[in-house]
Amino acid sequence: MSIVAVGSVAYDSIRTASDSRERILGGSATYFSIAASRFTDVRVVAVIGEDFRQSDVQLMQTCGVDTDGIERVMGKKTFFWSGEYSADFTERTTLATELNVFEDFQPKLSDLYRKSPFIFLANIQPKLQLQVLDQVENPEFVACDTMNLWINTALEDLKQVMKRVDLLTINDEEAYLLTGIRNIHSAAEKILAMGPKYLIIKRGEFGCALYGPERTFLLPAYPVKNVVDPTGAGDSFAGGMMGYLAKADTIGFRELKRAAVTGTVLAGFTVEDFSVDRLVSLGWEEIRARRDEFSEITRWGDLELSKP
């Protein structure tokens, strides 16, 4: 089944302790759509400027992404972000944020896009997420992402979004901002009471935690040995997860556990190179092999305990 992803298509400049890249392809919808395209059809709703390279549009199309929903605005520039990572990648400093054409973004879904059964609302203003929700027609599953900025500046709109989605994905610091509770398990209980049926709290190098009605699933991150660029890991996680769900026969906690594993595998690939380069070159056999390896790393079901 098809997925519609609404978010940013952008250019990034990245600095790490060992390397840097200027004006490389980025954006939440970009990472999400290329990751999800490994599994199913993906349609993107976004806006780009006159400076956006046609070769980057073609790259997304080559991956199987439907770009008909990407609007190009002449005379304006594409959304741009620049950041620098600490040597151990635990801290990220924003050097520049230029909204450009994204400042006036008003998502518009075609009749075909409105009927897509799976919707992903990437990290954009909650009022824009609500605009998308008002346009879609009886989606089977809706997931959304958010960030500390919207929690601090648009909380009431965000609360309305949370009441209308099936899955919310946030990180542990955002869970604290939203609830005032440091313990993620207690925070998760309070967030679920705000509306979403399921919740995923992303914990960076420590993996993620999935919560549902009286259910919890904890998953470590894949142990990547050579992290090059962690930008887009969260969006790739969401893309792998939603891509898996779009192929599932039903959606319940069991399927969401498997989807979280799939997302973790895709995120692990993403950080091994700058931009979407690793995702673009990724083959199905590589995904399968890493999934099997990750399964072996995390398996403990055959553990036996003997009474002393």
Side-chain angles (χ1 to χ4, degrees):
M1 293 186 180
S2 63
I3 304 172
V4 162
V6 184
S8 61
V9 173
Y11 283 133
D12 297 337
S13 289
I14 309 293
R15 299 179 191 173
T16 71
S18 60
D19 207 345
S20 65
R21 294 288 189 278
E22 297 295 325
R23 295 189 66 80
I24 55 179
L25 183 59
S28 58
T30 306
Y31 281 100
F32 175 92
S33 63
I34 294 178
S37 71
R38 306 298 91 179
F39 304 93
T40 192
D41 297 329
V42 189
R43 302 160 177 167
V44 173
V45 176
V47 63
I48 56 177
E50 184 176 11
D51 61 329
F52 196 81
R53 298 181 291 262
Q54 185 60 28
S55 59
D56 288 328
V57 175
Q58 293 170 346
L59 175 66
M60 297 175 70
Q61 293 171 344
T62 300
C63 293
V65 177
D66 182 341
T67 61
D68 287 349
I70 299 179
E71 177 187 4
R72 184 186 292 272
V73 178
M74 304 305 290
K76 292 188 177 183
K77 292 184 177 181
T78 300
F79 176 41
F80 172 77
W81 176 82
S82 177
E84 182 174 11
Y85 290 93
S86 61
D88 60 0
F89 295 101
T90 58
E91 295 183 8
R92 183 176 77 176
T93 302
T94 294
L95 304 177
T97 301
E98 300 172 10
L99 293 176
N100 298 325
V101 71
F102 201 65
E103 186 173 9
D104 299 318
F105 178 46
Q106 297 292 323
K108 303 178 185 67
L109 277 63
S110 67
D111 289 341
L112 176 64
Y113 283 27
R114 291 169 186 257
K115 295 179 173 62
S116 291
F118 289 81
I119 307 295
F120 179 68
L121 306 172
N123 180 16
I124 56 177
Q125 293 182 20
K127 68 177 182 180
L128 299 183
Q129 294 176 329
L130 288 170
Q131 287 181 21
V132 175
L133 291 173
D134 287 340
Q135 294 179 61
V136 296
E137 300 176 6
N138 300 315
E140 182 176 340
F141 193 88
V142 178
C144 81
D145 191 15
T146 194
M147 65 183 298
N148 54 358
L149 174 63
W150 311 132
I151 295 172
N152 289 328
T153 66
L155 182 58
E156 291 308 311
D157 284 340
L158 178 58
K159 287 182 176 179
Q160 293 302 311
V161 173
M162 291 168 60
K163 293 176 181 178
R164 299 174 62 180
V165 302
D166 299 286
L167 171 68
L168 173 69
T169 66
I170 56 175
N171 64 33
D172 44 8
E173 186 60 29
E174 291 157 356
Y176 168 67
L177 284 175
L178 198 52
T179 64
I181 301 172
R182 280 292 181 188
N183 182 283
I184 65 166
H185 309 300
S186 297
E189 184 176 348
K190 187 171 182 178
I191 293 170
L192 288 174
M194 297 178 184
K197 186 176 181 180
Y198 302 103
L199 168 70
I200 287 181
I201 298 180
K202 298 172 289 186
R203 309 189 67 204
E205 63 179 316
F206 302 110
C208 68
L210 165 67
Y211 300 91
E214 300 181 355
R215 301 286 299 276
T216 302
F217 175 61
L218 304 179
L219 187 68
Y222 178 83
V224 177
K225 296 179 181 178
N226 182 32
V227 176
V228 174
D229 175 18
T231 309
D235 296 306
S236 299
F237 170 87
M241 178 188 66
M242 288 289 283
Y244 178 88
L245 289 177
K247 302 290 286 185
D249 294 331
T250 59
I251 297 178
F253 198 82
R254 180 181 177 87
E255 287 72 33
L256 279 161
K257 287 169 62 176
R258 293 174 173 174
V261 171
T262 305
T264 298
V265 168
L266 268 292
F269 281 117
T270 301
V271 304
E272 292 179 340
D273 206 343
F274 283 98
S275 185
V276 295
D277 290 357
R278 189 68 178 94
L279 289 175
V280 169
S281 65
L282 192 58
W284 177 246
E285 290 305 317
E286 288 182 280
I287 298 174
R288 185 191 301 273
R290 182 162 291 189
R291 178 207 61 186
D292 293 344
E293 179 188 0
F294 193 46
S295 175
E296 188 62 32
I297 290 171
T298 56
R299 181 179 2 217
W300 63 270
D302 54 356
L303 174 67
E304 293 185 6
L305 296 178
S306 56
K307 186 176 180 180

